[in-house]
Amino acid sequence: MRTDQILTRLERVFARLDREPERPAHLQTPQMSRHRVVLLGSTLAFYLAIVVAVLTTSWLVRLDWQIMFFRPYEQWPQLHAFLDYLVVLGQRGPTAVMVAAWLGWRSWRQHTLRPLITLGVALLLLNITVGSVKLGLGRLGPHYATEIGSAELFAGGDIFPSGHTANAVVTWGILAYLASTGVTRRVLSVVSAVVSLSVGATTVYLGTHWVSDVLLGWSAGLLILLALPWFEPLIARTETYVFDVRELLRRRAETGRMPAPVVSVLTPLLSAGGKWQLRPAAEVAGGAAGAAEELVPQPVRDTVAAATATAPASTAATTTAVAPHSPTTRPAVHPAGRPHVIRSERTPVTPVGSRRPAHTDRAATRGAAARPVAGG
């Protein structure tokens, strides 16, 4: 009869995650190198320069209005249908699902949660940084502008910087950040740059963003990618914490400290593809007692067993009465009783051998002296 366990897809996923990471040996976690620090500082300076240029209504704002009056969507209407689909590559929901599916497969292959956690950290940073600037500056878009030549700031809008552009830089750039080889990283960097530039230009074509919005969105997304190595320790601690929580839930489920409906729901997540199965609480307690008994040396356990088998009934009763008050579950060691005999009845102790070497001449002399004299 076949007794193979049928595993669900979720159980197979956690079964692979239980294994040791099999990342390539040459793959190193990105570090905050001097080159990266220089790029980060340059991008931050560019970011601040754009903000200042918009706040002061400089030439950049005039460029925004010139392109808005040019109306690219009226100049090339044949591109409108295609670019309506292309801009979806910058929307947070669809792109996050696509990239998460790819990184989930990477987690399956490399047996680690780091790709998915890195994506979550990057998207969290994106929402905090870009969202706070959007709400703080409150800029209106080209279709809702009220005064020609103005920056349209602090008017209740939420388009500066461009969320589509920043999201395209982060979600597609994270694939290059997590690449396994140098060649793959360079190829994915080019692909992510093309996608993010296309999405940014598409938003300007459709008239949903100013040019300055797109420039600031590119800078915001690049800042997040460049700063990710600072969050690698947090990513590693988060992965360790996730597996520690699962081990804690396993112990609570085994000891009965978790409601049965919750256990039935969490069992696929905790079973790890058949490597762990829920055991009754009594069996868990018995296993703990057996583990404690394993700590006792084998000779001591043999002595205890022999003493228990040969001890009188009174000794066994005494042991049984004292055992519940003893700190451990092991029975007390009592040597078996022996009948008292007088000295003359005791068996003399005969040494097994002498350490002194044998002397044949002494042995012959002693033998002749001890022989009785015959005759008179």
Side-chain angles (χ1 to χ4, degrees), residues 293 296-310 330-331 333-334:
E293 186 179 355
V296 183
Q298 183 65 32
V300 176
R301 282 185 286 173
D302 295 341
T303 304
V304 172
T308 306
T310 59
R330 290 177 292 156
V333 180
H334 297 284

Side-chain angles (χ1 to χ4, degrees), residues 196-213:
S196 58
L197 289 173
S198 302
V199 170
T202 300
T203 58
V204 176
Y205 168 87
L206 297 175
T208 57
H209 280 288
W210 308 97
V211 174
S212 55
D213 299 342

